[in-house]
Structure formats: structure tokens, C-alpha cells
Amino acid sequence: MAALQPEINDPNDDYACNGGFLRSDALLVVTIIQDTYDSDSLGTVDEWITALRTAKNGDDDAFMVLVLTTDVDLGYQQLCLPNQYNPNPNRLRTLADGVEHGFVGSLCMEGYDDWFKERVTYLVDLCDDFVPPG
């Protein structure tokens, strides 16, 4: 959420450390990689989703969320810790599941090449359909 704040994204402000990062003419792809169950990130999943939507002017087709994280909350097909199970959904999984273009992969899969290739293919299609505001 901090990276999306308007005061640090102004491309015309020499003191805006993220100037040009968030652009109305481009898709926003948020990539989160975390090897633990998320419990320390600030804010709520709903606040994260609201921040993404606000940053992209309410256009759910203008952003994508990619998450690689532990899968201990799945209860089936776990790769990370098959003998451990946390029945509470990982907040990062909830984030990805809560947006139109969200994807979650297990951090413990054998490799990430195929996973990212599939997501890039999806992203290219999303980009082809993207119409910037204005």
C-alpha cells in the first residue's frame, strides 16, 4: 500500500521517490514472494484491495496480483509442509483470490518457470485489452 501513495508517485515531483512507478497508461502488476504464512503485513486484505482499486481508478482490469507463498493453508496438495496444516487462509492467498486477476502459487513448487510463463501469457492478453483512462 505504501508504494501506491499519491505523494510518492508524482512524476513531476523531484522528491517523489516512486515518480513514474504508478502510471495511468500502464497495467500494475504486484508480485509478492513470501516464504511464511502472512501475519505481520500492515492493514487488512480489504484495505489492500481498496488501495489497488483506488490506485487504478476503480478498474479491476488495470492490475494483476501474483503471489508465491507457503501452501500450509490448503489442506490438500501441500508442497511445503505436508504434515502441517493451518485452517486459516493465508492473507496473501485471500488477496489474490479477492481480485479479478489474482494468482497464487506454492513457493515450494519445483520451479517457477512454467508458473510465470502462464501468468505472462495471461498478462499479455490483459494488456492487449487494456484501455487507459482519458
Side-chain angles (χ1 to χ4, degrees):
M1 287 177 25
L4 301 176
Q5 301 304 312
E7 57 271 11
I8 66 171
N9 280 291
D10 185 350
N12 301 315
D13 183 348
D14 291 337
Y15 298 102
C17 63
N18 265 4
F21 167 74
L22 185 62
R23 301 187 339 256
S24 63
D25 65 339
L27 295 175
L28 174 64
V29 180
V30 177
T31 304
I32 302 169
I33 301 173
Q34 185 175 17
D35 67 349
T36 59
Y37 192 88
D38 183 74
S39 59
D40 297 325
S41 296
L42 299 177
T44 67
V45 173
D46 287 338
E47 289 172 334
W48 302 342
I49 293 171
T50 297
L52 287 167
R53 286 186 175 134
T54 299
K56 296 311 288 180
N57 300 311
D59 183 358
D60 285 358
D61 292 330
F63 65 92
M64 182 174 175
V65 176
L66 304 175
V67 175
L68 286 173
T69 189
T70 182
D71 56 14
V72 298
D73 57 326
L74 289 180
Y76 61 91
Q77 296 180 320
Q78 287 177 327
L79 300 174
C80 293
L81 301 167
N83 296 325
Q84 294 183 20
Y85 171 63
N86 186 333
N88 301 308
N90 186 330
R91 294 185 328 147
L92 298 179
R93 183 178 313 285
T94 303
L95 168 63
D97 290 344
V99 299
E100 182 72 25
H101 308 287
F103 301 92
V104 183
S106 173
L107 189 69
C108 299
M109 69 178 93
E110 198 163 313
Y112 308 118
D113 290 354
D114 290 339
W115 191 83
F116 275 111
K117 283 178 188 175
E118 289 176 27
R119 300 318 166 264
V120 168
T121 299
Y122 185 94
L123 178 61
V124 167
D125 291 342
L126 190 62
C127 191
D128 285 346
D129 295 336
F130 179 65
V131 178

